């Protein structure tokens, strides 16, 4: 039996509630089952780390939790709201107002500068361009990119593009931040800056964060480490537990 990744403290409030999620891709002989019954709770103020081998379903799970992909079965509630039951436009609004993503492939808009890319979540919420860019520039500076605010992504290194993607996710101050390998291209110094900013947002009492990572530097920042294999969660480790 897979473990249910839940905290049972009565004084904690659940932000993300996931039960029995399955997801497959393809049809007939090419069909593959990627998520095979995932149960997971994330409580307010928690930073949850998701680890597991390549292909185990981590990105798929983040995409399903964030409403980018629909699950085949199961239920997901974010702060009591079932995203699957929302109309397409309500779903878009819910994601815009509550969720932030740092994608594994960054997904920056190629013709926009770093500052403009990082400002996107504010611009789509209707914040005027000048304050939006100023806020984005401030976050980019905190992440060590103050000199690169006017550069377009093709002129940035992989690690710089990654930090623009992180700044974009953080400026929106999302309730739930979903990060897919956010430090993979970062050296020690920049990785530390990024983790500081992620922690500042994720630790707020009304927010939470799920970070997919292979990076052992990130482990000390997490409250729990959830291990995924073949589309199920098979072990949950709390911070301070000894590795098996
Ligand atoms: N759109 C898709 N169509 C078909 N198969 C897919 C699709 N997306 C993912 N898969 C398959 O689902 C499985 C899980 O993919 P996923 O990206 O979730 O893995 P992951 O744990 O994030 O791996 P990694 O650590 O390499 O990023 C893989 O076998 C992948 O090939
Ligand atoms: Mg992945």
């Amino acid at each position: 039996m897979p473990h249910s990744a839940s905290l049972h403290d009565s004084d904690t409030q659940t932000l993300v509630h996931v039960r029995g999620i399955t997801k497959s891709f393809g049809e007939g002989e090419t069909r593959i089952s990627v998520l095979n019954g995932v149960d997971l709770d994330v409580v307010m103020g928690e930073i949850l780390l998701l680890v597991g081998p390549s292909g185990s379903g981590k990105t798929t799970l983040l995409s399903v939790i964030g409403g980018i992909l629909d699950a085949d079965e199961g239920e997901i509630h974010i702060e009591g709201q079932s995203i699957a039951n929302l109309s397409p436009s309500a779903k878009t609004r819910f994601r815009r107002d509550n969720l932030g993503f740092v994608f594994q492939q960054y997904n920056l808009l190629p013709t926009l500068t770093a500052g403009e890319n990082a400002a996107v979540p504010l611009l789509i919420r209707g914040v005027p361009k000048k304050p939006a860019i100023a806020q984005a520039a401030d976050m980019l500076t905190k992440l060590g990119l103050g000199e690169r605010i006017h550069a377009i992504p093709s002129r940035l290194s992989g690690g710089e593009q990654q930090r623009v993607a992180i700044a974009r996710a953080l400026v929106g101050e999302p309730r739930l931040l979903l990060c897919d390998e956010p430090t993979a291209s970062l050296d020690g110094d920049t990785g530390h800056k990024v983790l500081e900013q992620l922690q500042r947002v994720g630790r707020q009492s009304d927010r939470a964060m799920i970070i997919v990572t292979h990076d052992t530097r990130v482990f000390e920042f997490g409250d729990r480490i959830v291990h995924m294999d073949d589309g199920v969660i098979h072990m949950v480790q709390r911070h301070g537990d000894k590795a098996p």
Side-chain angles (χ1 to χ4, degrees):
M1 277 290 284
H3 292 262
S4 166
S6 318
L7 285 182
H8 296 294
D9 309 351
S10 55
D11 59 347
T12 53
Q13 212 181 339
T14 304
L15 183 64
V16 184
H17 175 85
V18 174
R19 285 295 177 275
I21 290 297
T22 65
K23 175 75 184 169
S24 58
F25 293 107
E27 308 250 317
E29 286 188 4
T30 62
R31 184 171 181 277
I32 61 163
S33 287
V34 176
L35 300 179
N36 296 307
V38 175
D39 297 338
L40 180 68
D41 283 342
V42 187
V43 298
M44 305 271 194
E46 186 175 30
I47 297 178
L48 183 103
L49 306 182
L50 182 59
V51 303
S54 181
S56 59
K58 304 179 300 292
T59 297
T60 307
L61 179 60
L62 278 196
S63 305
V64 168
I65 291 174
I68 292 171
L69 286 176
D70 289 327
D72 297 336
E73 300 168 308
E75 52 179 77
I76 296 171
H77 290 89
I78 298 177
E79 222 185 341
Q81 174 69 58
S82 161
I83 313 190
N85 291 342
L86 295 174
S87 69
S89 61
K91 195 193 256 189
T92 302
R93 269 199 310 279
F94 184 84
R95 282 172 41 192
R96 181 192 70 192
D97 295 339
N98 294 288
L99 303 183
F101 288 93
V102 179
F103 295 100
Q104 204 166 7
Q105 312 297 339
Y106 316 149
N107 293 2
L108 299 177
L109 296 166
T111 58
L112 300 187
T113 65
E116 289 163 344
N117 262 292
V120 162
L122 300 172
L123 296 171
I124 60 175
R125 282 184 200 165
V127 176
K129 190 162 179 185
K130 216 169 160 190
I133 300 269
Q135 238 176 290
D138 184 46
M139 182 56 76
L140 288 167
T141 304
K142 284 183 179 141
L143 298 177
L145 277 182
E147 310 284 297
R148 310 296 279 139
I149 287 162
H150 302 293
I152 57 169
S154 61
R155 298 286 166 85
L156 297 173
S157 73
E160 288 171 341
Q161 291 181 49
Q162 183 155 42
R163 280 178 284 159
V164 176
I166 290 162
R168 177 179 59 188
L170 288 172
V171 291
E173 302 238 316
R175 300 297 298 275
L176 176 63
L177 182 53
L178 303 167
C179 301
D180 208 345
E181 298 282 3
T183 57
S185 308
L186 304 180
D187 61 46
D189 245 22
T190 44
H192 197 77
K193 280 198 180 85
V194 162
L195 287 169
E196 263 175 16
Q197 294 305 319
L198 288 175
Q199 212 181 13
R200 193 181 56 76
V201 170
R203 282 269 177 265
Q204 291 178 41
S205 57
D206 60 344
R207 299 176 198 280
M209 192 174 292
I210 303 177
I211 305 179
V212 171
T213 190
H214 289 101
D215 185 347
T216 50
R217 295 173 301 179
V218 180
F219 288 5
E220 65 178 286
F221 287 84
D223 299 303
R224 280 185 301 158
I225 303 177
V226 167
H227 294 251
M228 211 172 166
D229 208 354
D230 284 334
V232 291
I233 285 167
H234 65 98
M235 193 180 68
V236 178
Q237 229 177 309
R238 287 185 194 245
H239 192 83
D241 285 357
K242 285 212 172 70

